[in-house]
Amino acid sequence: MKKREEALKYGLSFKNVYEEKPFHDQNWQLVRVRESKKTFLWIYEKNGYINLNVKVDPQWRDFWRSAYDSVIAGYHQNKEHWNTLILDGSIPDKDIKRMISESYDLVTDSPTKRIYEAVKKIPKGHVATYSKVAEMAGNPRMARAVGNALHKNPNPEHIPCFRVVNAKGELAGEFAFGGAGEQAKLLEADGIEVEDGKVDLKKYGI
């Protein structure tokens, strides 16, 4: 991959993205995520080569820079989170595509999304605590964020938030899940015993 058109075509192959030229300098093309408007791919020409700026996980940042001389710290961007790919023919297409794909994944990821995905993994007949869901979502410190996300659950039929209880096994307040007793009903229908507003974590916890 050496041409601008090739990079743009691959960038636009991802879900819910669009191209934009926001600057007076038409050399710069951006590929953004439609909902958040966040950019995951910058395309521009510099010193005779097409360059790409991609977001990178800091854990992989130095790996890519050491693997290829044509992967350098992000030009005009945060050097910790962005790399620049110089398309001089020295980077295999598969690795260019991988780095663009990883940039897209980083930009589209969100704690709330990871929380919902974690909740979906709680098996029927079991419960998880807020802290356990936070751990499953990749950040044990965001238990409070779990509670906020669950109260805004956009799809209760597919995101079983009723399977989440506090550290003592206690159910959520009466305002949740449609009123008093609703979470208990859902849990009992799931095969989980509820006594005095609590679930036995040793028996049902994951």
Side-chain angles (χ1 to χ4, degrees):
M1 186 184 296
K2 297 176 71 175
K3 296 181 180 179
R4 180 189 293 267
E5 293 76 19
E6 294 175 288
L8 180 61
K9 182 179 179 180
Y10 186 68
L12 291 174
S13 71
F14 292 89
K15 185 178 180 181
N16 293 327
V17 301
Y18 65 99
E19 174 198 2
E20 186 176 32
K21 293 182 178 179
F23 310 120
H24 292 300
D25 183 355
Q26 294 296 295
N27 179 35
W28 291 81
Q29 290 172 285
L30 279 58
V31 183
R32 298 183 187 271
V33 177
R34 195 168 298 281
E35 292 179 1
S36 66
K37 294 184 170 55
K38 290 183 178 179
T39 303
F40 69 96
L41 177 62
W42 300 65
I43 306 171
Y44 56 97
E45 185 175 343
K46 186 172 183 283
N47 298 329
Y49 294 109
I50 296 300
N51 283 213
L52 310 178
N53 284 5
V54 294
K55 195 164 190 180
V56 64
D57 187 321
Q59 294 180 341
W60 283 91
R61 176 195 62 220
D62 296 331
F63 167 80
W64 289 119
R65 292 178 192 176
S66 62
Y68 300 107
D69 290 339
S70 296
V71 178
I72 61 176
Y75 174 65
H76 264 324
Q77 289 184 285
N78 185 310
K79 306 293 190 274
E80 184 178 351
H81 295 284
W82 290 84
N83 276 345
T84 292
L85 286 54
I86 303 169
L87 302 189
D88 59 4
S90 65
I91 312 171
D93 280 12
K94 65 179 179 64
D95 283 342
I96 294 173
K97 290 180 177 180
R98 180 178 169 184
M99 285 184 267
I100 295 173
S101 179
E102 289 174 352
S103 180
Y104 174 80
D105 288 343
L106 285 168
V107 166
T108 55
D109 184 37
S110 73
T112 299
K113 180 180 175 183
R114 282 186 275 122
I115 287 167
Y116 290 149
E117 290 303 314
V119 172
K120 289 179 185 178
K121 294 176 182 176
I122 304 171
K124 182 178 180 180
H126 291 80
V127 297
T129 62
Y130 291 99
S131 58
K132 181 63 177 178
V133 172
E135 179 187 323
M136 292 165 65
N139 185 349
R141 297 180 179 179
M142 62 179 185
R144 180 173 292 181
V146 171
N148 292 335
L150 300 193
H151 289 148
K152 299 174 183 176
N153 184 357
N155 193 351
E157 288 187 17
H158 294 96
I159 305 172
C161 295
F162 67 89
R163 292 179 184 152
V164 183
V165 297
N166 72 14
K168 297 179 181 178
E170 296 170 340
L171 309 194
E174 293 184 0
F175 63 89
F177 310 102
E182 285 303 309
Q183 185 178 13
K185 290 177 185 177
L186 292 167
L187 288 170
E188 287 166 350
D190 226 18
I192 297 171
E193 297 174 357
V194 178
E195 291 188 17
D196 298 323
K198 292 180 65 174
V199 170
D200 186 343
L201 291 177
K202 290 182 179 179
K203 186 174 182 179
Y204 299 107
I206 62 169

